[in-house]
Amino acid sequence: MKNILPNILESGKDSDIAISVPNKEEISYKNLKILVDELSKKITSFGTQNEKPIIIVLKNNAEFMISFLAVTKTNSIAAPLNPDFTEEEFNFYLDDINPSLIITTEGHPVISQAKTKGVPVSTVSFGNGSIDIDFQSEEYAEKDMSEPNENNSCLFLHTSGTTSRPKGVPLKHKNLLKSLDNIINTYNLSGDDIALVVMPLFHVHGLIGVALSTLASGGQIVIPEKFSASNFWGLQKEYNATWYSAVPTIHQILLIRADQDQAPKKSFRFIRSCSAALAPSVLVDLEERFGAPVLEAYGMTEASHQMSSNPMPPEERKAGSVGKPTGVEINIMSMESMGDMLETNKIGEVVIKGENVTSGYHNNDDANKDSYVSGWFRTGDQGFIDEDGYLNLTGRIKELINRGGEKISPLEVDAVLLNHPSVNEAVCFAFPDEKYGEVVHAALVTNSEVTEKEIQEFCSNSIASFKIPEKIHFANELPRTATGKIQRRNVAKHFAE
């Protein structure tokens, strides 16, 4: 049997449920394999080209999972995109990806844009146990019928672009399979696990971190179309979900609403947090209120998602740390002398090595030259490894605030602000200043009346005066990306304007 991604479905028992879509349908492993096989044959007969992307524009649903796995069974690369992108964003991605086909739903705006660019379009729909695909274009005159192997790319994503325009990241079958293996081993996932999917499937967190890792362990995924705090605990109870993974924003929403939503005192086998820093105070509150261990993990697109995680009990989990390496080599590189690695507790750039790591960015020689040093991949994150081997992140290197030569980690200031009882969300960022070059500003979402002066005085108990935000911006909500991430540059731009 070839070592390719769709073969993860062999992990489940034929009669077991693989996918549940609330109020719609359940698909067994046996039926899922049949559906994936049928759709991949239809796509291949329409015409695919070796390692050329097929864009998938679908919401979180059964159609997404079937289409994604079917594309990875052909010799094409699946390139999922956010279905809520603007016309301008779709234009950028269509040009950058140059797909051979688009799979979407009837009436989606991307269809007219694709037709303008001469990209073939198909629409899929799932119901009554069958998947239908309608090709709205002529089939290829020339077809490449070769079959994929583990060294072929099967997933094409873009980085979040925290510091510049998004970069294309191709990932191979073997990258993903290694990553899934790492995630399964970290959390002891098995056929008894039922994951509630709250993150978007067009992003590595939801797709690899939850959906594929659960299927690869023979478990069940429950896929509501979108995250809804008011429906969350009802779904958890209905399906007996054993775990979920989300960004800190979602954890905080669930915490704030816990009593009004009658959340149980004991719930999941474990709760996972990833994609942004989880404040230690929030981690403690989550564990106390929901009666489950909360494990913070560290992932990035270029590493097929997970690189490190706090371990399952009875091993120690450290609040404020992203845990131990999970099947990935992690080191700390000196930022002064490239290639030199630092000892325990010394701060430098986090670098990684492993079978899950991408071989390089798509058509971007400059980024590739910059990203690899002596076989190590540079994450762009700053941090240190403590004496117990736990990784601690201190910020994005390009997001450090340089106030008159003093380098300030915005993560450190965020953590202090989040300890104030009136603060629900906090994001610090660099603001231009004539005297110091940059100073610290902060944007806060609060739950009660509090003044700028009170916040600054509170900070003075924990951090040096030069780190205290010179200005506090109060807001009802902070600008977010489609995956719920808060990017400092977006917040900075928003409040600068």
Side-chain angles (χ1 to χ4, degrees):
M1 188 167 71
K2 278 212 183 80
N3 210 10
I4 59 169
L5 187 70
N7 293 340
I8 62 171
L9 299 181
E10 299 300 331
S11 307
K13 294 180 189 148
D14 276 1
S15 57
D16 284 354
I17 300 299
I19 297 174
S20 293
V21 181
N23 308 319
K24 284 192 179 168
E25 58 258 324
E26 291 190 332
I27 306 170
S28 69
Y29 272 89
K30 182 182 180 180
N31 289 345
L32 183 55
K33 284 187 274 193
I34 292 167
L35 291 163
V36 167
D37 199 46
E38 280 177 2
L39 188 58
S40 86
K41 282 175 179 158
K42 285 175 184 172
I43 293 167
T44 302
S45 67
F46 170 77
T48 58
Q49 293 181 353
N50 195 25
E51 292 198 85
K52 190 148 188 209
I54 291 177
I55 284 178
I56 298 171
V57 183
L58 294 167
K59 292 188 184 298
N60 276 22
N61 51 27
E63 285 91 331
F64 182 101
M65 290 309 301
I66 297 164
S67 300
F68 174 79
L69 288 163
V71 170
T72 64
K73 200 166 183 175
T74 72
N75 60 2
S76 297
I77 309 172
L81 291 182
N82 179 356
D84 296 326
F85 271 155
T86 61
E87 188 176 326
E88 188 182 328
E89 286 167 320
F90 275 124
N91 270 327
F92 166 78
Y93 288 106
L94 286 175
D95 289 343
D96 198 60
I97 295 170
N98 185 24
S100 63
L101 178 69
I102 290 178
I103 299 175
T104 186
T105 40
E106 198 62 61
H108 194 284
V110 77
I111 295 171
S112 57
Q113 282 179 267
K115 286 183 173 170
T116 306
K117 293 177 183 290
V119 178
V121 172
S122 63
T123 55
V124 288
S125 59
F126 177 74
N128 301 323
S130 67
I131 186 110
D132 292 313
I133 186 161
D134 175 22
F135 294 101
Q136 301 182 5
S137 322
E138 293 294 312
E139 62 178 39
Y140 279 158
E142 283 180 55
K143 296 177 188 175
D144 181 340
M145 308 292 274
S146 55
E147 289 189 359
N149 64 61
E150 64 172 17
N151 290 308
N152 288 132
S153 295
C154 65
L155 177 60
F156 187 77
L157 293 166
H158 281 76
T159 60
S160 310
T162 31
T163 50
S164 56
R165 64 183 260 165
K167 297 190 279 280
V169 183
L171 295 166
K172 296 173 178 173
H173 288 272
K174 66 178 183 184
N175 298 145
L176 266 60
L177 290 168
K178 178 60 178 168
S179 186
L180 297 178
D181 198 40
N182 292 342
I183 295 165
I184 290 167
N185 292 335
T186 304
Y187 307 112
N188 309 325
L189 297 181
S190 73
D192 296 330
D193 279 301
I194 298 164
L196 195 48
V197 180
V198 297
M199 294 298 292
L201 290 168
F202 58 77
H203 185 263
V204 284
H205 187 160
L207 180 62
I208 300 171
V210 184
L212 294 176
S213 60
T214 304
L215 293 176
S217 61
Q220 177 184 344
I221 51 176
V222 179
I223 314 179
E225 192 170 284
K226 60 177 191 284
F227 168 69
S228 158
S230 56
N231 296 337
F232 182 86
W233 294 107
L235 289 174
Q236 196 258 334
K237 189 177 176 187
E238 182 185 344
Y239 290 98
N240 289 316
T242 59
W243 71 290
Y244 80 98
S245 181
V247 288
T249 310
I250 286 177
H251 297 308
Q252 284 173 308
I253 290 167
L254 291 170
L255 257 182
I256 290 163
R257 299 176 47 110
D259 293 339
Q260 75 181 75
D261 291 335
Q262 296 178 321
K265 296 284 184 199
K266 185 137 184 57
S267 55
F268 298 92
R269 182 166 78 82
F270 70 97
I271 292 169
R272 180 177 181 270
S273 187
C274 198
S275 300
L278 181 69
S281 56
V282 176
L283 185 147
V284 171
D285 292 347
L286 280 168
E287 292 201 337
E288 280 180 6
R289 182 60 186 82
F290 301 141
V294 175
L295 308 175
E296 188 172 4
Y298 172 43
M300 68 189 299
T301 305
E302 293 91 332
S304 314
H305 190 47
Q306 187 171 291
M307 299 175 281
S308 72
S309 175
N310 274 277
M312 292 289 289
E315 269 200 82
E316 186 187 2
R317 50 194 184 282
K318 294 191 179 186
S321 156
V322 290
K324 295 176 169 181
T326 54
V328 181
E329 281 186 77
I330 299 180
N331 220 325
I332 305 295
M333 186 173 78
S334 164
M335 292 189 287
E336 278 73 47
S337 51
M338 283 284 186
D340 287 353
M341 300 303 160
L342 301 174
E343 58 206 57
T344 302
N345 288 319
K346 290 276 193 292
I347 292 177
E349 182 170 5
V350 181
V351 292
I352 57 166
K353 248 185 209 178
E355 287 172 47
N356 55 312
V357 182
T358 182
S359 308
Y361 294 107
H362 173 66
N363 287 346
N364 198 330
D365 290 341
D366 290 346
N368 288 332
K369 278 192 200 111
D370 194 40
S371 298
Y372 295 88
V373 175
S374 311
W376 293 92
F377 178 81
R378 300 175 60 197
T379 63
D381 289 318
Q382 186 194 60
F384 65 92
I385 294 171
D386 70 17
E387 55 286 341
D388 298 321
Y390 285 67
L391 175 64
N392 297 265
L393 300 177
T394 53
R396 288 289 296 166
I397 286 168
K398 291 183 181 174
E399 286 177 349
L400 293 176
I401 301 163
N402 188 350
R403 184 186 186 275
E406 292 277 10
K407 303 284 197 316
I408 302 164
S409 162
L411 276 178
E412 181 193 2
V413 186
D414 289 354
V416 171
L417 291 164
L418 284 164
N419 281 329
H420 192 288
S422 298
V423 177
N424 279 351
E425 291 185 290
V427 177
C428 293
F429 52 90
F431 196 84
D433 182 81
E434 273 187 31
K435 185 177 176 186
Y436 295 106
E438 290 178 344
V439 291
V440 183
H441 277 209
L444 304 185
V445 175
T446 57
N447 55 41
S448 56
E449 281 291 313
V450 65
T451 65
E452 180 176 70
K453 191 164 186 286
E454 285 169 336
I455 295 282
Q456 289 165 331
E457 282 174 0
F458 176 82
C459 290
S460 68
N461 298 321
S462 305
I463 49 175
S465 58
F466 69 87
K467 296 178 183 177
I468 296 170
E470 303 213 355
K471 178 157 181 58
I472 306 281
H473 306 266
F474 293 98
N476 293 325
E477 59 179 25
L478 301 176
R480 283 188 165 75
T481 67
T483 54
K485 269 191 184 181
I486 293 173
Q487 291 182 343
R488 284 182 211 281
R489 66 190 177 91
N490 290 349
V491 175
K493 188 177 169 200
H494 178 82
F495 289 102
E497 287 166 1

